[in-house]
Amino acid sequence: MLTSSFLIFAVTTSDGSYTYTADDYVLYITSGGEYTITMNTAQSVTSTTRDRIKVTSDEDVTITIVDLNVTSSSASPFEINASGNVTVKLSGDNVLTATGSDYAGLQKTSAQSNNLYITSADGDGETTGTLTATGGGKGAGIGSTQSVGAVRYIYINGGTITAKGGSSGGAGIGGGYYKAGENIYINGGNVTATGGSGGGAGIGGGYSSGGRGRGI
C-alpha cells in the first residue's frame, strides 16, 4: 500500500499513482486505481485555499474523499480532465468552492469524453457522505464552465449533494454560462441543485443554453 502525506492532503492508494507539484500546488491523480484523499489532519490541516486536486488518468479511477474543504480562486478546487471514467465516493462532509471566474466547484473539463459518477462511500442509494460544490462566476457547481463547453455524462447514484451554480448563470449541475448540460442522471441520494444568478438551471444548461438555463 502506497501512502503519502503532503502538507495539505493525505493520500492513500493500493494500486494507483499520483504526483504533487509544489510550483502550482496541485495533487495529480495520474493512473487508474482506488484512492482515498482527505485533509492532512495529522498536521492540523482542515481546509485549504492554496492546494487543489486534478485527475488526469487515462484509466478508470475511484476516489473516496473524506472531509475535504478546498477553496480555489485560480482554478477549480477539484478538476477532472481524464479519458478514464471517474467515480467520486463521499465520506464525511466535503466542500469544494470555486471563487474565480470560469471555474466549477467540481469541474469536468473532459466534458463529453468520459463518465463522472458520484455516490456515497457506503454504496449507491445511500445518503451518507455530503458534498457542497459551488461554482465561480460562469461556472457550474458540478460540471463545466463557459470555456470548457457543453458537459455530458454525470451520474449521481448516492450521497447528499448541494450544488450551486456561480453568478452569471452557471447551472447547479451541468453547463457553465451559455453552455449546455446533457445526459445528467440522478439515480439515488439526496440532491439539491440551484442555478446561479442570471438564469442557470438547477440541473441542465447555463444561462442562454438552448433557452436560458433549460433543464433536463
Side-chain angles (χ1 to χ4, degrees), residues 98 100-107 133-147 164-178 194-197 200 206:
S101 181
D102 208 27
Y103 303 118
L106 175 54
Q107 182 167 314
T134 305
K138 302 181 181 180
I142 299 171
S144 76
T145 70
Q146 182 184 25
S147 62
K164 304 173 184 177
S167 61
S168 300
I173 302 173
Y177 172 76
Y178 224 82
T194 306
S197 60

Side-chain angles (χ1 to χ4, degrees), residues 50-182:
R50 186 194 72 178
D51 290 32
R52 63 191 186 92
I53 300 164
K54 186 171 183 177
V55 182
T56 60
S57 174
D58 293 333
E59 304 167 310
D60 292 354
V61 171
T62 298
I63 302 171
T64 300
I65 58 174
V66 185
D67 294 324
L68 288 185
N69 190 342
V70 184
T71 299
S72 179
S73 61
S74 60
S76 170
F78 193 124
E79 180 182 358
I80 296 167
N81 193 5
S83 55
N85 297 326
V86 176
T87 299
V88 176
K89 295 185 176 182
L90 307 175
S91 180
D93 297 318
N94 300 276
V95 180
L96 302 173
T97 306
T99 57
S101 181
D102 208 27
Y103 303 118
L106 175 54
Q107 182 167 314
K108 192 172 185 282
T109 302
S110 46
Q112 303 183 56
S113 59
N114 65 333
N115 297 336
L116 168 62
Y117 303 96
I118 303 173
T119 192
S120 167
D122 291 328
D124 291 349
E126 300 295 332
T127 58
T128 50
T130 74
L131 170 62
T132 300
T134 305
K138 302 181 181 180
I142 299 171
S144 76
T145 70
Q146 182 184 25
S147 62
V148 166
V151 66
R152 294 185 172 92
Y153 312 126
I154 298 174
Y155 303 80
I156 296 178
N157 298 325
T160 294
I161 296 167
T162 301
K164 304 173 184 177
S167 61
S168 300
I173 302 173
Y177 172 76
Y178 224 82
K179 302 302 175 181
E182 302 173 338

